[in-house]
Amino acid sequence: MKLFLSALILAVILLLPDFTYAKKLSKLKVDGKHIVNDEGEVVRLRGVSFSDPDKLEKDGQWNKSYFNEARNWGCNVVRFAIHPTALNERGWENYFELVDKGVKLAEEQGMYVIIDWHSIGNLNTEKYMRDNYTTTWKETVKFWKTVAKRYKGNPTAAVYELFNEPTSIGGDLGELSWATWKPTMEKLIDIIHEIDKDKISLVAGMNWGYFLDEAIENPVDRKNVAYCSHPYPQKREQPWETKWEEDWGHVADKYPIIATEFGFMYPDEKGAHIPCISDETYGKAIIDYFNKKGISFTVWCFDPNWSPTLFNDWDFTLSKQGKFFKNVLQKMDK
């Protein structure tokens, strides 16, 4: 009888879902230059940036195996790159069902989520780099109101990246500077805070989300704010560290920074383009700098098609940067 009961219990356990990491995540907030949890412990987010959930679902990858692969890399955070055109083409309710699923899958793996409004251009003039980034202020407000209502009280959806990459090149996209960008972000944060004040608002720097050099003297005047930079290798020439410190890194001495996009690829790899061309020399330099400054990060991109890729196919065959960053993440997870 005891043998039968033992076998029955084992069978039930084997049939249960995998809740290895399913413990409810602690709410995150900004405390000085750190991100901390409910217990006041410093949390350094480290992980990968996904491509668009719509794209991943069409590829048959928006599932437990995909999220489990990210967790196996050592991630404690993943980033969802939500494109305005994909949202509208799928339909808002259908699209947010995908996001709901992704947030749940991330929670089951013990990973936080950064929700990224993935547009590139000038939100103030409503002019963009390409059609798939096209949005409006009205639509951006609608998006963040929807997100705020949907994930209020959900600690897994911890960080809201308000706008992926604001440009500052003038010309056809119109004027955009920190002086005109900061009040736009403050207005958007106020709208979100009317619904939910508990999420971290992530504000990108200028020049495709790179420069934060004015943020210390003229910071975003709202609570629970962190800053974002995308320090791809060709944004600056070597030696990098002193330039990174001047351009954005010094902000980490006072406020949290999450580098939500960075990475490298060799010039002969598929999709190689400026500003991403480099090698492991850059990989070591940027990770050493992040470690020195306590900067959080998500590497781009956990997809075999959007470069620089972390793997080359859906068997997760590692790219050159994938080999490097997977090793980094797994060592940090120990």
Side-chain angles (χ1 to χ4, degrees):
M1 185 66 178
K2 288 183 179 179
L3 184 61
F4 171 76
L5 288 173
S6 297
L8 181 61
I9 291 168
L10 178 60
V12 170
I13 289 172
L14 291 173
L15 290 171
L16 287 172
D18 181 8
F19 290 118
T20 305
Y21 299 102
K23 180 182 177 182
K24 189 174 178 66
L25 292 166
S26 178
K27 183 175 68 177
L28 300 183
K29 66 178 181 180
V30 170
D31 183 10
K33 67 177 184 178
H34 297 299
I35 295 171
V36 301
N37 61 20
D38 281 333
E39 290 73 43
E41 299 166 331
V42 173
V43 176
R44 187 176 170 205
L45 299 172
R46 57 194 189 278
V48 295
S49 183
F50 291 174
S51 54
D52 194 296
D54 175 75
K55 189 263 187 194
L56 290 164
E57 195 276 337
K58 289 174 180 175
D59 288 346
Q61 301 299 324
W62 196 242
N63 54 38
K64 182 177 179 179
S65 295
Y66 179 75
F67 282 77
N68 186 60
E69 183 70 17
R71 185 66 190 94
N72 287 341
W73 279 44
C75 298
N76 67 5
V77 66
V78 290
R79 175 182 184 244
F80 299 174
I82 298 174
H83 290 64
T85 50
L87 174 65
N88 286 308
E89 286 171 4
R90 181 171 286 270
W92 283 58
E93 189 55 39
N94 289 336
Y95 194 104
F96 272 102
E97 287 177 4
L98 286 184
V99 183
D100 290 346
K101 179 180 177 181
V103 169
K104 184 176 184 296
L105 288 168
E107 181 182 8
E108 289 175 1
Q109 297 293 337
M111 301 185 298
Y112 290 100
V113 171
I114 298 171
I115 294 179
D116 157 45
W117 187 226
H118 201 86
S119 178
I120 301 176
N122 188 339
L123 181 60
N124 288 356
T125 61
E126 299 185 352
K127 296 180 179 180
Y128 302 94
M129 294 298 297
R130 291 202 299 265
D131 288 345
N132 62 322
Y133 300 128
T134 298
T135 186
T136 63
W137 169 254
K138 182 178 179 180
E139 181 179 72
T140 299
V141 168
K142 178 185 176 183
F143 174 78
W144 285 116
K145 280 186 173 182
T146 303
V147 169
K149 291 174 183 176
R150 204 160 186 121
Y151 304 113
K152 182 177 182 178
N154 186 326
T156 305
V159 181
Y160 295 165
E161 188 172 348
L162 303 181
F163 190 91
N164 173 48
E165 289 186 353
T167 57
S168 53
I169 59 175
D172 293 340
L173 300 185
E175 186 277 337
L176 187 63
S177 64
W178 185 252
T180 55
W181 182 241
K182 184 180 86 83
T184 299
M185 293 296 95
E186 290 172 342
K187 185 177 179 182
L188 194 53
I189 292 168
D190 287 342
I191 290 166
I192 294 170
H193 282 186
E194 287 178 2
I195 301 166
D196 183 4
K197 295 182 179 180
D198 288 339
K199 305 299 185 183
I200 296 173
S201 295
L202 190 59
V203 176
M206 310 310 301
N207 191 270
W208 282 269
Y210 177 71
F211 283 108
L212 292 169
D213 50 319
E214 298 179 76
I216 291 293
E217 292 187 4
N218 190 19
V220 174
D221 188 21
R222 297 295 182 272
K223 293 181 179 180
N224 225 16
V225 168
Y227 293 92
C228 172
S229 183
H230 292 175
Y232 285 105
Q234 291 175 291
K235 298 297 286 188
R236 284 292 208 168
E237 295 181 354
Q238 292 179 260
W240 288 295
E241 183 173 313
T242 55
K243 295 161 187 172
W244 289 337
E245 181 71 16
E246 178 182 349
D247 293 345
W248 52 271
H250 65 285
V251 175
D253 296 335
K254 192 169 182 180
Y255 304 105
I257 291 180
I258 308 175
T260 53
E261 280 189 33
F262 68 102
F264 68 86
M265 58 194 314
Y266 282 44
D268 60 347
E269 289 187 277
K270 183 179 69 175
H273 64 283
I274 296 171
C276 305
I277 298 170
S278 192
D279 56 26
E280 288 82 356
T281 305
Y282 160 81
K284 185 178 186 306
I286 195 71
I287 292 299
D288 285 349
Y289 187 71
F290 289 163
N291 289 341
K292 176 182 175 182
K293 305 289 290 190
I295 291 170
S296 297
F297 62 86
T298 55
V299 193
W300 183 271
C301 179
F302 209 63
D303 186 290
N305 307 120
W306 291 12
S307 60
T309 67
L310 288 162
F311 43 84
N312 297 324
D313 51 49
W314 286 118
D315 292 324
F316 300 105
T317 305
L318 298 174
S319 66
K320 291 182 174 70
Q321 75 150 352
K323 292 176 184 177
F324 180 86
F325 287 119
K326 182 178 182 180
N327 183 56
V328 166
L329 286 162
Q330 288 184 330
K331 284 183 177 179
M332 294 178 75
D333 192 43
K334 291 179 180 177

